[in-house]
Amino acid sequence: MNFRKHLLPFIGIAIHALVLTYACYVLGNIPYSFGSEKQTVKWINALSGWAFNKKYPAPEDILAINVSYDKQLVEVFDEFDLPLGVVDITDRSKLYNLLSAIDSVGGYKYIICDILLSEEYRTPADSSLFRLISDMPRISLAGGHDLLQIPEQIRHKAYLSGYSTTIEDSDFVKYPLMTHGQESLPLHMWKSLTNEDVKGSIFGCVSDGRLCRKSIFLNFPVRISESYAISEQKAWLNLGADILQVSQMLDLEKMFENKIILIGSFTEDDIHSTIAGDMPGIMINYNAYHALTAGDHKVNIFALIILYLIFYIVTFMIVRRLSLIDIIPIRFRPKSNLFRLVISWLSLSTLFSFVFFLIYILFGEVFDIFFISGYFTLLCMLRK
């Protein structure tokens, strides 16, 4: 009987630590961050890039095509179909010519087209362009947050490509792989090229038999934000000037063969602030796909074990009414409850910051510990 009496608190502590570990996983599935993870990851990436002189070369299997300088004017109308004026959009006739050339030679690996093809704007090339896109294999359109803005004829080729923001932070932080059961563009592309999948379960999402996330931080190992790469070669080709106007001089079959073709704006209109600096929207989509191929969406079991052990130890200390002040070998021990509470909060914040840093460095895992740290502080107050 005495054995059970002494065992029950340890079982309770173990369950409590397990629940908190799972809570960290659930918070990680939310498509935005509540804590300071963004700034921490940003500084770690910046410092590691400076310390190790990191380079971010583009893989040889991608071909980036910039449409920023290929525009056309179209009329816009109000809800009563009255003309309002004109706006500039990506030249759809040039886009049709490009896709026709790609389709005719074939051999490409995949096409990501991050161009707004909204029903709001109409051009003479629409019917031919939409028919071509509808019939082409291995092409996905970035549909933003709302797929209903995409014309019905090509809507089956469009996938979600937006990200969530908060009142305090409008920058890109995490990429949602799924939203209300709808696939994102990177997730669909990854599934198409690898035949792998992300499936829902009672406890969360599973990929290849492992627990995985629905939203992921991106480290941006692939960065194309300058017009010329490290090798002094063009990082992207301009649609009109570098391809269509000189197409007779190019070996298109060799150019497109086995390539992931990225079609989007690399210099204007679609630039987003990220932990790696300003980034074209299409590169956010590609890096999300790259993260999936690298397995970054799968939760590392060793990271969870470290979290669990830390939660177990801290819970045990709180149950035993211990704090770091009690285990640090110092002569002066303050008796003021308020002072001890402040020190406990500082020690917990420092401990969890260190754990977060360690887990990110070792495993590349990012856990939102803002609520967990606050919860333990509250638990300390109630226990005292």
Side-chain angles (χ1 to χ4, degrees):
M1 193 66 163
N2 289 333
F3 175 74
R4 290 184 178 180
K5 184 178 180 181
H6 286 89
L7 186 62
L8 283 176
F10 290 97
I11 294 175
I13 293 171
I15 293 174
H16 181 259
L18 184 63
V19 170
L20 288 179
T21 304
Y22 180 69
C24 277
Y25 164 72
V26 172
L27 288 173
N29 281 331
I30 297 174
Y32 41 82
S33 174
F34 292 102
S36 59
E37 288 74 19
K38 175 192 168 184
Q39 292 301 323
T40 305
V41 173
K42 187 175 182 178
W43 276 105
I44 292 173
N45 276 276
L47 290 173
S48 63
W50 172 79
F52 301 106
N53 193 25
K54 280 189 174 181
K55 305 296 182 183
Y56 303 94
E60 293 184 359
D61 69 337
I62 70 172
L63 173 64
I65 300 176
N66 181 37
V67 299
S68 297
Y69 308 118
D70 298 281
K71 303 292 186 181
Q72 70 176 123
L73 295 177
V74 295
E75 284 190 300
V76 289
F77 303 86
D78 64 12
E79 59 270 28
F80 300 107
D81 217 24
L82 297 175
L84 295 174
V86 296
V87 296
D88 64 308
I89 65 170
T90 299
D91 192 320
R92 293 184 181 177
S93 62
K94 289 185 178 181
L95 180 60
Y96 170 77
N97 291 335
L98 171 67
L99 293 178
S100 293
I102 296 174
D103 187 50
S104 63
V105 299
Y108 61 92
K109 188 174 181 180
Y110 207 89
I111 300 172
I112 302 177
C113 184
D114 194 353
I115 297 173
L116 181 60
L117 297 174
S118 171
E119 280 190 316
E120 183 180 358
Y121 310 124
R122 308 158 195 165
T123 76
D126 285 355
S127 58
S128 300
L129 174 62
F130 295 165
R131 190 182 311 112
L132 176 62
I133 292 175
S134 179
D135 293 338
M136 284 184 74
R138 304 184 306 283
I139 181 172
S140 290
L141 308 177
H145 289 282
D146 183 15
L147 299 184
L148 294 179
Q149 66 180 322
I150 307 298
E152 187 175 358
Q153 188 178 355
I154 55 173
R155 195 172 298 160
H156 63 289
K157 295 287 188 175
Y159 298 90
L160 297 177
S161 60
Y163 56 89
S164 299
T165 59
T166 64
I167 296 176
E168 297 181 352
D169 196 349
S170 61
D171 296 344
F172 171 84
V173 180
K174 297 165 76 174
Y175 200 110
L177 299 178
M178 290 184 290
T179 303
H180 305 304
Q182 290 184 306
E183 295 179 350
S184 66
L185 187 154
L187 179 60
H188 176 78
M189 177 180 174
W190 172 73
K191 288 171 60 176
S192 301
L193 294 178
T194 64
N195 292 322
E196 295 189 52
D197 200 357
V198 172
K199 297 180 180 179
S201 69
I202 298 175
F203 301 105
C205 293
V206 176
S207 176
D208 195 25
R210 285 178 54 184
L211 197 66
C212 68
R213 300 181 183 279
K214 289 173 61 179
S215 299
I216 53 176
F217 273 87
L218 301 180
N219 294 321
F220 294 99
V222 182
R223 303 180 185 182
I224 301 179
S225 55
E226 300 291 338
S227 57
Y228 283 86
I230 301 171
S231 61
E232 297 186 355
Q233 296 292 323
K234 278 197 170 185
W236 61 70
L237 299 178
N238 294 303
L239 172 57
D242 297 328
I243 298 180
L244 297 182
Q245 292 179 14
V246 293
S247 60
Q248 301 298 326
M249 302 168 57
L250 299 175
D251 185 348
L252 296 181
E253 186 173 354
K254 184 178 180 180
M255 176 185 288
F256 301 137
E257 184 179 7
N258 247 356
K259 298 288 187 180
I260 294 176
I261 303 172
L262 309 179
I263 306 173
S265 178
F266 285 85
T267 57
E268 299 176 1
D269 303 328
D270 191 27
I271 307 300
H272 305 259
S273 179
T274 73
I275 63 168
D278 290 341
M279 193 71 59
I282 192 163
M283 292 311 300
I284 295 178
N285 283 305
Y286 178 80
N287 274 279
Y289 160 76
H290 189 276
L292 286 166
T293 60
D296 292 348
H297 62 301
K298 297 175 183 176
V299 179
N300 189 290
I301 186 64
F302 295 107
L304 291 180
I305 290 173
I306 292 175
L307 269 188
Y308 174 80
L309 291 175
I310 294 297
F311 291 157
Y312 185 95
I313 292 170
V314 174
T315 304
F316 176 81
M317 291 176 64
I318 294 175
V319 169
R320 296 295 298 269
R321 290 189 171 87
L322 297 173
S323 68
L324 290 183
I325 297 177
D326 300 306
I327 61 176
I328 296 175
I330 56 176
R331 293 183 179 180
F332 172 70
R333 297 188 182 278
K335 295 182 179 180
S336 167
N337 288 333
L338 178 61
F339 185 82
R340 291 173 66 88
L341 181 63
V342 171
I343 295 298
S344 295
W345 178 79
L346 289 173
S347 62
L348 284 171
S349 299
T350 303
L351 173 65
F352 287 126
S353 296
F354 174 76
V355 170
F356 172 84
F357 177 83
L358 182 66
I359 289 176
Y360 181 75
I361 291 296
L362 292 178
F363 309 111
E365 290 282 358
V366 181
F367 291 101
D368 197 327
I369 59 173
F370 179 78
F371 282 123
I372 301 297
S373 183
Y375 168 75
F376 271 118
T377 303
L378 178 62
L379 211 58
C380 285
M381 292 176 61
L382 295 175
R383 188 60 175 165
K384 296 296 182 182

